[in-house]
Amino acid sequence: MKKYFLLPLFYLSSLCSFAQQKQIDSLQNVLKTTHIDTSKVIILNNIASRYRDMNKNKEAQNYFTQALLLAQKNNFLRGEMQAYSGIGGVYELFGKYDEALRNYKQGFAIAQKTENVHKMILFYVSIGNVYMESGHYDDGLASYKSGLAASLDVKDTAAAIKCYSNLGETYYEQGNFLNAEKNFLTELKLSESTKNQAGIASAYYTLAAVYYAQGNFPKALSSNISALEMEKQLHNETMVEYVYINIGVAYHAENKDAESLESYQAAIAIAQKLGDKRAEAECYKHIGVLYGGEKKYAESLTNFKLALDITQEIGNKAGVGDAYSEMANVLYSMNKLPEARDTYLKGMVFSKEVNDPITLKNIYFGLAEVYEKQKNYEQAYVNFKLFADLKDTLLNQSNSKQITQMNALYESDKKDKQIQLLNKDGELQTADLKRQKIIIRAVEVGLLLILAFAVLLYSRFRVIRNQKNIIELQKTLVEEKNKDITDSIQYAHRIQQALLVSKNYLDKHLSDYFVLYKPKDIVSGDFYWASHTETNFLIAAGDCTGHGVPGAFMSMLGINFLNEIVIEKKIVQPDKIMNELRQNIIHALNPEDTTETSQDGMDMVLCSFNFKENKLQFAASNTPLWIIRNSTDKMQVQLEEHKPDKFPIGKHDKDKIPFTAHEIQLQKGDIVYTFSDGYADQFGGASGKKFKYKQFQQLLLANCQKPMSEQKEVLNQTIETWRGNLEQVDDVLVIGIKI
């Protein structure tokens, strides 16, 4: 998959600016004849805006600056605001975010001084955009929320729709897809209520991006099709073009390549009509990837060459580097090693020039593969080292961002608890002081003992009532905090479920099987993963260190690394996959500058089935693989146990020893079982003991003649009955596959 577009609005405006020069000439003629300074300011701002729409940003900056100086000279505040907004926009396009903020804030100050709420809202949005583009998402969110509050206060529905849209985009960039979806749905609802067709189309377009990011490709496709219908009604050909590209991406994700190709070709037709070279090049790249996946290498190279020619024509150096990289991948697949090497090197020049680390990473890896095949091991090592270093840099940047966010949440939660403790101490001290005053007063009064006693009772009543209120308030706060935590974990559960291999995928590749998956908590440290090659089907049963949230983090790390190893690096032998997975986990959990060593990791059985030849290759870490053979004849039933390597996938004193490769010739009717230790480790029964592996084996042998779906039900009912009222102690995962 190449890329899913969430197109920035400034780019759309630039595509519609090719007819601006004639208007600029007319405005400059009017400027020469007018003698009113305020009119000159308005004309200068208009000329600047048209230059900006044409991407002639230096000219735009020059005219905005002239307008600002003249407006300040004449105390023309409206002209000043427009000039500050324009200059800020130009600096934003230059990537000079500090200067952009300074100008936007000066414009905002004038809007605030003149109580021009509608202009204030526009500046809130512009300031939010700068924060978002510079990676200051929290500041961006705060600015958008201020704009939204002001919009709702003055009932400016169009501005509110824009704020909801920007909030959604910021949450999307943060990976907070739940809040992104909420804001885009509010944008959609508000746009529908006001019959704002442009807002409706925008909401469908951005919702599709959220659904795609969540892996919900059918919903992404449906939202894109709705966006396409709306944009066609609006005759917005530019957006129609980009929606077609996204529809092609969604179809490709669902392996509907014919429909995907049709969508890309529709986008190309519009791009050629509009002269949108950037979009046309992207389409050819997508088509090149599509044909490459189908091993139609000639067609793939043709399309990548078209993309290359266009990116060179428009001076898009990042695009040139990417196109060369993709072409080299195809040449490598065709075993044209010298050509692949030279093409990678050409791409490297352009990618280095624009500092494109993602493309450079792919080029280094491709060169390492080429040199290895050519037996030039020195250069293979050099390039693989460059690839690994760059990959670690990108991973550390991503991890640092996530860790910063988690630390911020932790510090916020810690401060809340400290404040609660301080408040509680203060309230107790206040109660003690009141009690002391009452006692002193009772002694002094002496003869008024009855009255003092009454005062004391009343005071105690108030203390008890206050304590009761405090307890109730704390109870409410705890309940709210628990709800927030539970909601967060439930959302993490949705993410984890989305990462696990789907039932549809397993049904497509396996004819008779079951998966029994019972997390101890809402999220799980056990996981199952699958992929396939032309000849083999791979499936893994993993058991990570811990369960619940810590285990879930490890499981998601494992799934992502497995996808990278098999899909991107094309390593398909189970033992080699597990060797690579171990190195990735060690590097991820033990970066070079860390002061502590993490021993976390996982146990796993990873199988590779060749169903045509009935062959099974597998590797195992700390967990055995079981095969029940000749299961159709009760007299011949036997269970074979294949021992694992006795070390984990992670940091260990044996982490330099490679995993063992096993190969087994299977027979028709064999049943292969993989599992975590959770089933055998459950406590229960009459004496509250572990279920244990021996009893687990006997249960499988007693039920192996039953259909696989019934075996799953027997396993589930047996462990639930065994556990009784005892708490589940670990995650449970059992996979059975019948040959």
Side-chain angles (χ1 to χ4, degrees):
M1 191 62 55
K2 284 296 294 175
K3 185 177 180 183
Y4 193 95
F5 280 89
L6 190 57
L7 197 66
L9 295 178
F10 71 82
Y11 181 75
L12 289 179
S13 65
S14 69
L15 292 175
C16 307
S17 62
F18 300 108
Q20 301 286 342
Q21 186 61 51
K22 190 173 181 180
Q23 295 178 12
I24 290 174
D25 294 340
S26 299
L27 287 168
Q28 285 175 331
N29 289 332
V30 175
L31 183 65
K32 291 175 184 176
T33 59
T34 187
H35 301 290
I36 303 170
D37 283 349
T38 53
S39 298
K40 287 182 178 179
V41 171
I42 294 169
I43 294 168
L44 287 166
N45 276 325
N46 275 289
I47 292 172
S49 297
R50 282 163 173 75
Y51 272 126
R52 184 185 58 196
D53 290 343
M54 295 171 66
N55 281 330
K56 294 185 176 181
N57 295 311
K58 289 185 178 178
E59 292 87 340
Q61 185 178 29
N62 177 37
Y63 278 96
F64 276 131
T65 303
Q66 290 181 49
L68 177 62
L69 294 172
L70 191 57
Q72 289 173 332
K73 179 181 176 182
N74 290 273
N75 197 28
F76 181 30
L77 296 180
R78 183 163 63 89
E80 273 191 72
M81 274 193 294
Q82 188 178 356
Y84 276 128
S85 176
I87 294 170
V90 172
Y91 277 125
E92 186 179 348
L93 291 171
F94 285 152
K96 296 182 178 180
Y97 298 123
D98 290 341
E99 287 298 316
L101 275 176
R102 185 176 63 80
N103 281 276
Y104 283 146
K105 287 180 178 179
Q106 286 178 300
F108 176 82
I110 297 172
Q112 197 172 36
K113 177 182 176 182
T114 57
E115 298 182 350
N116 189 334
V117 179
H118 296 285
K119 288 289 185 184
M120 286 171 60
I121 294 167
L122 293 177
F123 280 112
Y124 274 131
V125 171
S126 296
I127 290 167
N129 290 344
V130 174
Y131 280 132
M132 180 180 166
E133 290 163 22
S134 58
H136 295 84
Y137 295 120
D138 289 340
D139 293 328
L141 287 171
S143 192
Y144 290 145
K145 286 176 181 177
S146 297
L148 177 61
S151 303
L152 296 174
D153 190 46
V154 297
K155 295 181 173 56
D156 187 342
T157 306
I161 290 170
K162 176 63 180 170
C163 290
Y164 278 121
S165 177
N166 287 346
L167 282 166
E169 287 190 32
T170 306
Y171 283 124
Y172 174 88
E173 290 295 326
Q174 287 182 304
N176 187 341
F177 300 128
L178 184 63
N179 276 334
E181 184 180 358
K182 284 181 182 177
N183 280 277
F184 289 144
L185 285 171
T186 306
E187 176 194 6
L188 177 61
K189 185 177 179 181
L190 204 55
S191 299
E192 287 175 337
S193 68
T194 57
K195 295 182 171 53
N196 181 340
Q197 288 186 305
I200 295 170
S202 170
Y204 276 128
Y205 180 75
T206 48
L207 275 169
V210 172
Y211 295 137
Y212 184 88
Q214 292 173 314
N216 192 340
F217 304 130
K219 234 178 170 182
L221 189 58
S222 173
S223 291
N224 267 316
I225 290 171
S226 296
L228 182 66
E229 292 171 358
M230 295 299 301
E231 298 293 3
K232 283 183 176 179
Q233 290 175 24
L234 292 166
H235 303 291
N236 189 349
E237 287 190 295
T238 299
M239 280 304 301
V240 169
E241 166 191 19
Y242 279 91
V243 176
Y244 267 130
I245 294 176
N246 288 348
I247 288 173
V249 172
Y251 272 132
H252 186 54
E254 292 202 288
N255 297 317
K256 296 180 178 179
D257 288 351
E259 293 88 342
S260 179
L261 181 60
E262 187 178 342
S263 296
Y264 294 143
Q265 288 171 339
I268 288 171
I270 300 172
Q272 290 175 340
K273 177 182 175 183
L274 296 176
D276 184 357
K277 298 290 189 180
R278 177 177 179 268
E280 187 180 356
E282 280 298 329
C283 289
Y284 286 129
K285 285 183 191 177
H286 280 294
I287 295 172
V289 170
L290 190 150
Y291 279 132
E294 295 176 351
K295 296 192 175 179
K296 297 179 179 178
Y297 297 131
E299 293 90 335
S300 180
L301 281 174
T302 298
N303 281 276
F304 283 133
K305 182 67 167 60
L306 289 169
L308 176 65
D309 291 343
I310 293 171
T311 50
Q312 287 176 326
E313 178 188 342
I314 62 177
N316 179 359
K317 293 182 179 180
V320 172
D322 189 36
Y324 272 128
S325 175
E326 294 287 3
M327 288 176 67
N329 290 342
V330 177
L331 291 166
Y332 176 81
S333 298
M334 298 170 71
N335 207 33
K336 295 185 176 181
L337 301 182
E339 293 177 52
R341 181 200 59 212
D342 294 345
T343 308
Y344 277 131
L345 291 171
K346 289 177 184 176
M348 184 191 297
V349 172
F350 289 94
S351 298
K352 280 185 175 179
E353 191 171 343
V354 295
N355 191 25
D356 180 359
I358 295 175
T359 303
L360 271 174
K361 174 175 74 77
N362 296 334
I363 288 172
Y364 288 138
F365 183 77
L367 281 169
E369 287 191 313
V370 169
Y371 285 125
E372 184 181 18
K373 268 198 173 183
Q374 291 180 323
K375 302 189 186 306
N376 186 343
Y377 299 116
E378 181 180 351
Q379 281 300 315
Y381 172 78
V382 168
N383 282 276
F384 187 79
K385 183 72 169 58
L386 289 168
F387 158 77
D389 290 345
L390 197 51
K391 185 187 75 168
D392 288 345
T393 300
L394 293 169
L395 181 63
N396 287 337
Q397 288 172 355
S398 174
N399 287 344
S400 295
K401 180 180 174 182
Q402 293 175 10
I403 290 167
T404 301
Q405 291 172 345
M406 291 172 70
N407 281 340
L409 288 171
Y410 168 73
E411 291 297 332
S412 175
D413 185 57
K414 186 168 72 173
K415 287 177 184 176
D416 288 344
K417 289 178 180 176
Q418 289 171 344
I419 290 167
Q420 288 175 5
L421 289 171
L422 288 170
N423 288 340
K424 186 176 180 182
D425 289 343
E427 287 160 359
L428 291 172
Q429 289 171 9
T430 301
D432 288 341
L433 287 171
K434 287 181 179 178
R435 194 181 303 111
Q436 290 172 11
K437 287 179 181 179
I438 291 165
I439 293 169
I440 293 169
R441 190 177 184 89
V443 172
E444 289 174 347
V445 172
L447 295 174
L448 299 175
L449 185 60
I450 297 173
L451 179 61
F453 185 69
V455 172
L456 180 61
L457 286 175
Y458 178 68
S459 177
R460 290 300 302 158
F461 168 74
R462 285 197 304 164
V463 171
I464 292 169
R465 185 177 62 185
N466 287 340
Q467 288 175 341
K468 181 183 175 184
N469 290 339
I470 291 166
I471 290 168
E472 288 178 351
L473 177 60
Q474 289 175 338
K475 180 174 177 287
T476 302
L477 291 172
V478 169
E479 287 173 349
E480 289 177 355
K481 184 69 72 176
N482 283 342
K483 184 179 183 302
D484 289 342
I485 292 169
T486 303
D487 288 346
S488 296
I489 296 175
Q490 288 287 2
Y491 187 62
H493 168 70
R494 288 175 57 190
I495 296 173
Q496 188 178 38
Q497 287 298 116
L499 288 174
L500 292 174
V501 62
S502 69
K503 184 177 184 301
N504 288 339
Y505 186 87
L506 294 176
D507 288 344
K508 182 178 177 182
H509 294 281
L510 297 174
S511 58
D512 202 5
Y513 76 100
F514 72 78
V515 176
L516 177 63
Y517 182 62
K518 295 169 68 68
K520 175 188 181 298
D521 301 306
I522 298 171
V523 289
S524 173
D526 285 2
F527 69 95
Y528 52 100
W529 168 93
S531 185
H532 71 281
T533 66
E534 281 188 4
T535 58
N536 285 39
F537 177 76
L538 291 90
I539 188 165
D543 182 1
C544 299
T545 305
H547 46 74
V549 174
F553 274 118
M554 283 298 300
S555 73
M556 287 189 272
L557 197 65
I559 291 169
N560 284 330
F561 281 144
L562 283 169
N563 286 330
E564 179 182 326
I565 292 164
V566 175
I567 297 171
E568 293 185 19
K569 297 184 179 179
K570 296 181 175 55
I571 300 173
V572 295
Q573 297 92 335
D575 57 313
K576 292 183 179 178
I577 292 171
M578 285 172 53
N579 290 336
E580 184 73 12
L581 177 59
R582 176 169 59 189
Q583 291 307 309
N584 286 352
I585 288 174
I586 291 172
H587 288 155
L589 300 182
N590 299 276
E592 291 181 0
D593 57 349
T594 188
T595 57
E596 297 180 5
T597 300
S598 171
Q599 299 289 336
D600 292 330
M602 62 189 68
D603 301 333
M604 180 182 291
V605 179
L606 177 55
C607 299
S608 178
F609 291 92
N610 185 325
F611 292 116
K612 287 185 179 179
E613 299 178 3
N614 278 347
K615 284 185 180 179
L616 167 62
Q617 295 176 326
F618 79 93
S621 164
N622 279 334
T623 304
L625 176 139
W626 293 345
I627 298 177
I628 290 183
R629 179 146 288 177
N630 299 324
S631 56
T632 56
D633 184 347
K634 289 186 178 181
M635 302 301 294
Q636 296 289 325
V637 169
Q638 57 182 347
L639 188 147
E640 297 178 0
E641 181 176 89
H642 296 270
K643 301 290 185 181
D645 292 311
K646 292 295 184 179
F647 42 84
I649 301 174
K651 190 73 175 173
H652 190 265
D653 56 5
K654 295 182 180 179
D655 60 25
K656 302 300 181 187
I657 301 174
F659 287 99
T660 307
H662 302 268
E663 184 168 309
I664 301 169
Q665 183 63 51
L666 298 171
Q667 301 173 13
K668 186 171 179 57
D670 285 354
I671 305 177
V672 179
Y673 295 97
T674 58
F675 41 85
S676 67
D677 61 4
Y679 198 98
D681 284 351
Q682 294 303 319
F683 288 92
S687 54
K689 294 183 178 179
K690 283 187 179 183
F691 192 86
K692 295 189 177 177
Y693 286 99
K694 185 67 175 176
Q695 193 173 184
F696 187 15
Q697 289 180 346
Q698 291 170 352
L699 179 63
L700 292 175
L701 285 166
N703 292 278
C704 63
Q705 286 88 15
K706 294 179 179 178
M708 300 301 282
S709 59
E710 288 186 25
Q711 288 189 41
K712 176 182 177 180
E713 189 59 30
V714 168
L715 287 169
N716 186 47
Q717 289 181 358
T718 301
I719 203 65
E720 286 298 313
T721 303
W722 173 264
R723 193 164 58 82
N725 294 325
L726 295 179
E727 182 183 354
Q728 184 174 330
V729 296
D730 199 1
D731 304 312
V732 172
L733 173 63
V734 183
I735 301 173
I737 299 172
K738 190 169 185 178
I739 305 303

